[in-house]
Amino acid sequence: MAETKVEKAEKGDKTEKAEEAGGAQLAHRHVFGFKSGVKGNMHFTDDAHLLYPAGHNTILYHADHKAQIRVFPGSEGSEGISSLALSPNRKFLAVCEKFQERAVCYVYDVTTGKRRRGQLTYGDCDAREYVCAAFSAENKFLITQGGPPDWTLILWSWDKAKAHGAVKVSNLTGSMIHECSFNPQDSSLVCIIGDGVFKFFRLQEGTFKGIPNQLNKMREASNQNYVCHTWLNDDRLIVCSEAGDALLFDSGGEFKMVLPCSPCEPRSLLCVASFSRGFIAGSEKGVVTFYERSDDAKEMFRKAKEVKLDSSMAGPMPSVGAVTAMTVSPAEETVAIATSSNQLLTFSLSPTDFLKAEEGNVEHALTSFHTGPIFGLDVCVRKPLVVTCGTDKTVRIWNFVDRTQELCKVFNEEAFSVAFHPSGFHLIVGFADKVRLMNLLMEDFRTYKEIPIKACRETRFSHGGQFFAAVNSNTIQVYKTYTCEVVCNLRGHQSKVKAVCWTSDDFHLVSTGQDGATYEYDILKEGRRVSEWSQKGTNFTSIVALTDFEATTQTTTLYVAGSDKMLKEVRESQLTNYLESNATLGQLALAPCTRALIAGVAEPEMPGSLRCYNFPLTGDYVEYQAHAAPVSRIRVTWDELYLFSTGDDGCLCIFDIKKLGPAKPEKDFGLGYADEILVTRQFLDEKQATLLEFERRVEELDSRIAFQLRHRDGLHKEKMAEMQEKYSEEIETERRKFEVLREEKAEMEMENEEHVKSLEENHARYLQEQQESFDQKMILEDQRYKKLEADLEREKQEWDAQHGALLSEHAAVIEQMKQDAEKIQRANRETMDRDIKEKELAFKHHQETLAQLEQDADREIEELKEMYEQKLAQEKDDKVRLRGQAGIHQKYHIDLQSSMMTSEENVKQKANENRKAEERILGLMKDKDSNEKEIKERDKTIADKEQRIFDLKKQNQELEKFRFVLDYKIRELKAQIDPKTADIASMKTQTRAMEDELNDYKRKNKQLALQISQLQMKQRALQEEIKSQKRKLREDLSLIKRFKLDLSDCLETISEPKALKESVTALYRKYVQGGAKRQDLDTDMQKEYNRQRDYLEKSVDSLKRKLEKDSQAHRIDNMRIMQENVSLIREINDLRREINALKHERQAQELANMGQGMQTSNRADLERELEEQREEIEELNKQLKDFDQ
């Protein structure tokens, strides 16, 4: 059920506890996604704000600012949002939610975002959801259509949270009800449609009373499934069936016709929306059809346009599916379209876009979303990017700072998992047959390595990015990122591994799986298992690790969640703490600096909310509504500022993490996000070629503009001469016209004077005649009136006399009839008395002779009976006769009354004739007034003629002034054209000089490059020669040293001549005849050799470092040049657009100048803008020259 006051108080207590403990608070930042299964899931609050459901929230999106300005979260404990409704004044939002016990509806203020007091729930309704809701036209009432089993329609006074009435609207079989609505002009009329159900109800004193309609009487109508309806602007109703028929009804619910323009294809009219020109329909095949009113009364509507959404979307995107809902903005500039693939599209209804033949103006309202469940999620460290993958075979890159989608690529198979390298340049995507390592380029993903791991559903980069782990069923394989060498294979799980997590130092890896076991591996020691803990019978789905570096021995604490609805804390292979969650927690994410542990609820068939636990775990948490289905992934950024979650509903939710209390010392977050990108050499070559092409086009445009300027200058001179001649001719013509008008004016004045005199004479004569005629008519009418008055008096006296005689005669007749009736009554009474007396005597006689004369008595009784019956019959006949006489007298009285009424009518007729005579008198008086008015109007016309003559004189003076101004402007323009021509010539000369200078610079650059290469070759030759001379010097020095040693040995035998001779001979043979023999290097030579080798090795190392720095600087320069080239290309495109705009503006200005005269200020503005364009082109040419150098 919805939140009660007790629950809200408990929630407030939890928040206060979280603040005291120093936890964290989550705030909605953005939601990428859309929930298409909600009835009435799109509403425009104005032309720029759109309401739509995403996950378990309702979003208010600002289209101009591209931001979600307000989020209306769902309720705790609900099973999801079932329908939305917006009030006609676009200020209140009704959100219907599904609950386990009974459906609930909440009303929000769209402006403030606050929920109105009270919840709309009906005790006598067993439905768990409201399938549809609608506000009345005056925004006072709300109807909600309950779901199965009873399908109850309820009327609410929503501001008081009070139900006024309810009625069960389904048929005997309990068919489904699809939609309900109020008549926008008559809030007492309610329409209900469903599967074989079409009903109208009238609201009378808070109760629903059914209204019969012709459609219910048709047998085939009960077999139709009516799926949607809409009220047109003229209060008529369009109802669409699943078979493709569009039915037209009037405002009272009376069936008119089946529209001839109906497509008559199954499920071709799934949803419908009205606009001023007709209505819009969406089909199951993703086709939107526009129907407009037709002048043909038989046709009523005609098909105006058909848009296929799949062919209108730009780029290779998945199919959009069926159209499920549409809504039109208040100004009817945009129609928003919802599809079954959870896409939110917009189509422009402006006349210029609507009349285009192509279908390329269908756009995403925000961006494209995932169609089905999302399997993989990861966040980058160096860039503000998030990657997701799902069942729709797409991998998408999202920018969570700009709230945009950076890249989307469609593959041929589903991607089960994805990981983002911390640098933001590499991705790992797990497919059904292999794992692919990809480079993230500017506009594409490019695979550079494939690893044969099938159906990898979990992969993670280490925090430093040097390793990555990929799950292969129940084995975890760890690879080096840049060489893809296998570091180790981690085994131990008996079932599939569900989650892995790296410790913060990347030395250890923790994992958990379906076997209920958690393991910690040491990656640096070839995957040796450090710790383990298991709980059989539990399917763990997520694990996070926290390493404590402050302790004497480094320890890792594990937090796991699974199917046992508990959150467990494991340390050193022991369960140290656990919390009862009362719900299945599917994913975990840890933010130790903000002291928060975030868990995602993964209860089947329930919305996936996020729980923010205080950390260390105390059991206190705050729950935030996020997804409409179980949570599938959760990630936190490295700086713990943002939280990301995905679910089976295809939504990506982004939250801001805000600290509430004292936290750990913050990390150094001074390093901002990187903006570098990877591009291929082919891409750079293409851009360079494009840049050269643009340069060529700029040169062509320069020459073309120069030619056009020369041509236009010539044309301007010719036009100036023509205009001068034309204006001189026009002035002469106007002068002649003025003379003619002056003559005509004099003639008209004379004619008018004569005409006025004749009119005055005719008017006086006519007035006298009319006066005489009127006097004569008045005399006749007066005599006639007196005669009629005497006749009326005489007839009135006669009628009074006749009326008195009739009344006296009638009274006498009535008196006579009364006397006759009284006589008869007395006679009957006397007869009755006599009969009674005779009866008494007979009875006495009968009593006396009863014993002896029983038979005679019986006979006498019979005779008496017959006699009395005859008398009674005679009395009855007398009564009937008297009643007939009374009727005759009554008829005579009625005739007298009718004759009296006829006399009254004659009197009235005479009065009418008298009134008509008075009206004729009034008409004559009006004729007199009209004649006087006509005289005044003619006087006014004469005054207008005189004013017109005065205006013509004034206009002639203004034309004279205008001619003088034109002469002055012509002379001024001539004076301005000559210096402009000289400036253009000097600019051309300067441009040619700059081009010559540019060619000279290029030639000098080539010469300098050649000289540098020659000098480098000479330097290398000299270095080789120096090396050879040094080698020779070392050999000579060693030879001299050996010779000195041998000579010293020889000097020792100087006292022995024979030995001295032999020694000298040996020296001669050794150093003179045979040359010096190569001997082994002595110790000093070895030291010298080692010293030289060390020196050379250091030189090689320094050269390598220098080469690496040079290559890095070269890459940076290339990147800078590429960025500058891109900016230049963008500026060139802007220049081309501005040049085209200048062309059109100048042409329009020339046309305006031809009609209204050349305006000096506009021409000066154009010349100034042209001069600015020339300066920008020169600046770009200079930049291009600098880049070439």
Side-chain angles (χ1 to χ4, degrees), residues 378-508:
D378 203 5
V379 62
C380 179
V381 175
R382 288 288 295 122
K383 296 182 179 181
L385 301 179
V386 177
V387 62
T388 58
C389 64
T391 57
D392 55 356
K393 302 180 182 180
T394 62
V395 177
R396 301 171 187 261
I397 305 294
W398 314 86
N399 190 316
F400 56 84
V401 173
D402 297 337
R403 302 181 181 93
T404 57
Q405 179 178 279
E406 295 283 337
L407 187 60
C408 174
K409 185 170 183 179
V410 182
F411 293 90
N412 295 326
E413 53 184 336
E414 292 182 4
F416 297 115
S417 61
V418 67
F420 217 143
H421 194 270
S423 65
F425 293 139
H426 313 291
L427 291 174
I428 300 176
V429 184
F431 293 96
D433 55 347
K434 61 191 68 176
V435 172
R436 298 178 184 175
L437 278 74
M438 300 180 177
N439 285 328
L440 177 59
L441 305 180
M442 187 168 69
E443 297 176 349
D444 193 12
F445 302 132
R446 178 164 294 185
T447 303
Y448 67 90
K449 180 67 176 177
E450 293 183 349
I451 300 175
I453 298 178
K454 294 184 178 179
C456 177
R457 294 187 177 272
E458 186 71 21
T459 179
R460 294 288 293 271
F461 274 107
S462 62
H463 295 90
Q466 70 274 27
F467 302 118
F468 69 88
V471 174
N472 188 358
S473 186
N474 59 352
T475 304
I476 305 171
Q477 296 179 344
V478 181
Y479 294 85
K480 293 182 179 180
T481 301
Y482 298 104
T483 61
C484 294
E485 297 177 1
V486 178
V487 177
C488 55
N489 291 322
L490 309 180
R491 295 181 174 86
H493 285 281
Q494 303 301 319
S495 185
K496 290 184 178 181
V497 178
K498 300 295 289 184
V500 297
C501 180
W502 292 87
T503 58
S504 58
D505 56 4
D506 292 340
F507 293 162
H508 292 180

Side-chain angles (χ1 to χ4, degrees), residues 493 496-499 511-518 533-543 559-568 570 575 585-588:
H493 285 281
K496 290 184 178 181
V497 178
K498 300 295 289 184
S511 65
T512 188
Q514 293 180 350
D515 55 357
T518 61
W533 178 82
S534 64
Q535 179 178 341
K536 294 183 178 180
T538 304
N539 178 11
F540 289 127
T541 57
S542 182
I543 185 171
Y559 298 92
V560 293
S563 60
D564 57 352
K565 299 184 179 181
M566 298 178 68
L567 180 59
K568 296 181 172 63
V570 179
L575 179 65
L585 302 180
Q587 292 292 314
L588 299 176

Side-chain angles (χ1 to χ4, degrees), residues 145 184 337 443 502 514 517 541 672 714 783 936 955 1114:
Q145 176 59 62
I337 304 169
E443 297 176 349
W502 292 87
Q514 293 180 350
T541 57
Q783 294 177 356
K936 291 180 181 179
Q955 187 176 3
H1114 184 64

